[in-house]
Amino acid sequence: MAKDFSTRAENYSKWYNDIVQRAELAENSAVRGCMVIKPYGYAIWENMQAALDKMFKDTGHSNAYFPLFIPKSFFSKEADHVEGFAKECAIVTHYRLKNDPEGKGVVVDEDAKLEEELIIRPTSETIIWDTYRNWIQSYRDLPILVNQWANVVRWEMRTRMFLRTAEFLWQEGHTAHATKQEALEETHQMLDVYADFAENHMAIPVLKGIKSENERFAGAVETFCIEALMQDGKALQAGTSHFLGQNFAKAFDVKFASKEGKLEYVWASSWGVSTRLVGALIMAHSDDNGLVLPPKLAPVQTVIVPIYKTEEQRRIVSEKAVEIKNRLEKLGVRVKFDDRDTHKPGWKFNEYEFKGVPVRIAIGPRDVENGTVEVARRDILKKEIIANDQLDQTVLSLLDDIQHTLFRRALAFREENTRTADSWEEFKQILDEKGGFILAHWDGTAETEQKIKDETKATIRCIPLDDDKESGKCVFTGKPSEKRVVFARAY
RNA sequence: CGGGGUGUGGCGCAGUUGGCUAGCGCACUUGCAUGGGGUGCAAGGGGUCGGAAGUUCGAGUCUUCUCACCCCGACCA
């Protein structure tokens, strides 16, 4: 097979970029740091949105929409929050252009300066909590369970397709509760929703945990996360759920009258996942032949490629293909019949392989004669000839099997690449030679974490939520520790 | 913002001790053959050489300025 793209071993980041480009997921735009998400890539995101949106609705949430622009003053109300985002905000200062008096194009009209600058949202806590103040007076107004699908802007220095771009798409849930307990339960519930989505839809195993102080969301009391491991041994945060305590309620003066008639501050949570998940999907499953997609999120689950020489053969084969397409669609399968005469079958095989279509069906004159079809699966690149009357069942079980095979494969990879380190030497050696997750003891201080980061670039991805307590000594300082935490180099 | 690099048809590149019609691969168009894993042959279309100024008989090539993008660092989902 002709190869004109990189392999993972040759150059992992080039391999990633090649897949994004060649599979037509996205491309760089004329705007620095911003990408164009192409139809095929956007279709994956839409499938993610559809599944997540249903899960949000099923847990009682409703969608709403808040402004893109946030008055600058809002940001200064929560101290940690400002500090966390100040360095990456885009700011609107003017509202009008005019013709350049020098004659070329348009220039900013300096007379149209805004009284108060507007920040383009890097996240919406401030504008939403300013709004919630008006929505909440009594315990009867609680809880508020709102989600919004939106774009946000964080002015990044270094960007990578899907993983880090200046503008990205995401959903952010913002909830308000009468009690700390309820807000915490919500935080955990949504973390579970994310883990469920990652594992059962994306087929990516994730670790659930708590972020260390250094990695915590600016303004949160506690940040929970799901962490996934990519094929190059680096970790990727796939979703976060924050317990915000009463921080934003206090900053925006959001109080409610309790049953007892006392005025109390509202408790909050926020949680989000972004188009970064598309990047995770690529890096978790794809191989040196291109993209590999889990059936549940694949825009096309099964593609039918006709094979023929003469017009007569084309007619016969197409007729059969259309019949199969209709049959499979009735079963709920997303099918594409590629009847373009402008490309040859071999070309199409490579095309769909590169685009990660889980199942491919090829039908030629021989098949029509014999009552068979050729069925190929993308995950393990195997194909077989089966009888036409077994096709429905075969495709359904193949889709199911591919979904599970991808998960098992990713899980096996993570297990192979999760190691314990009990000495500093061992820690550094694993990191340099193998990467992956490292389970090690840590003395619990931000200073130690920072020193480890400075020396190795590895950070604490999370403090696992499981209750495996084990006393030991910090891998860096030797001070006592009661639990292992997860270290890794991360995206 | 610090260090390094690159700008030449849609994409990837060559050409750079100044020299005449600026070239190659892929892609594109047309025709014929081909069609069960990226098809072959033939013909064809397409370029202000990032921009500006300068040196020169002559600039893709030299000089100065400028713009853009990429890579490495600090920051981050």
Side-chain angles (χ1 to χ4, degrees), chain A residues 75 138 431:
Chain A
F75 262 84
S138 147
L431 213 50

Side-chain angles (χ1 to χ4, degrees), chain A residues 223-235:
Chain A
T223 288
F224 298 85
C225 62
I226 52 172
E227 291 284 328
L229 189 63
M230 303 294 104
Q231 291 185 66
D232 61 347
K234 286 170 84 172

Side-chain angles (χ1 to χ4, degrees), chain A residues 153-164:
Chain A
V153 168
R154 296 181 188 176
W155 212 261
E156 300 290 348
M157 305 304 281
R158 299 264 299 105
T159 60
R160 294 194 71 184
M161 295 271 203
F162 290 110
L163 299 175
R164 181 168 303 114

Side-chain angles (χ1 to χ4, degrees), chain A residues 380-392:
Chain A
I380 54 175
L381 293 168
K382 287 214 166 134
K383 56 186 180 184
E384 58 178 343
I385 306 287
I386 63 153
N388 198 354
D389 57 15
Q390 288 172 18
L391 183 63
D392 294 6

